[in-house]
Amino acid sequence: MTTINPAVSPATTTVTEQAPAFKGKNKIAKSMADKIMPKAAELTPEQAFMEQVAGMACAAKTPDKEMLKNIVMRETALGHFDFVKGINEFLSHDAAKKVYKK
């Protein structure tokens, strides 16, 4: 009689060794990420707040959600996270207002 999953007794269990990891992986991943995404400039808190407000204004004046999605993807790829934070904040407040109106 043949079984698909034969029973293995604990005495015959073998431990397989893991292959050593490639040690240069972090350096290669970092260099590839640096080539794909440029470094975003470090902003002062005032500049970061101004970018956030600019994101809110952009979200307020853009009626097309597909266009706004493209703007968010582009700004995220460029590393402008404060701008995206402003868009997200406006959209969350806008959605909360719509929920409470009902």
Side-chain angles (χ1 to χ4, degrees), residues 3-82:
T3 61
I4 294 174
N5 295 323
V8 178
S9 65
T12 61
T13 305
T14 59
V15 177
T16 57
E17 289 186 32
Q18 291 183 340
F22 180 61
K23 296 189 184 218
K25 66 179 180 191
N26 292 336
K27 292 178 185 176
I28 292 172
K30 184 177 181 325
S31 67
M32 292 302 290
D34 289 342
K35 289 178 185 176
I36 294 171
M37 282 183 35
K39 293 279 184 184
E42 292 294 322
L43 302 177
T44 64
E46 292 83 15
Q47 290 171 330
F49 180 73
M50 288 173 37
E51 282 292 316
Q52 191 172 350
V53 171
M56 288 182 194
C58 177
K61 70 180 183 181
T62 307
D64 185 23
K65 298 300 179 192
E66 187 65 31
M67 184 184 293
L68 193 59
K69 177 183 169 187
N70 291 338
I71 291 171
V72 167
M73 297 299 259
R74 181 185 68 227
E75 296 297 327
T76 302
L78 292 173
H80 302 154
F81 299 116
D82 294 310

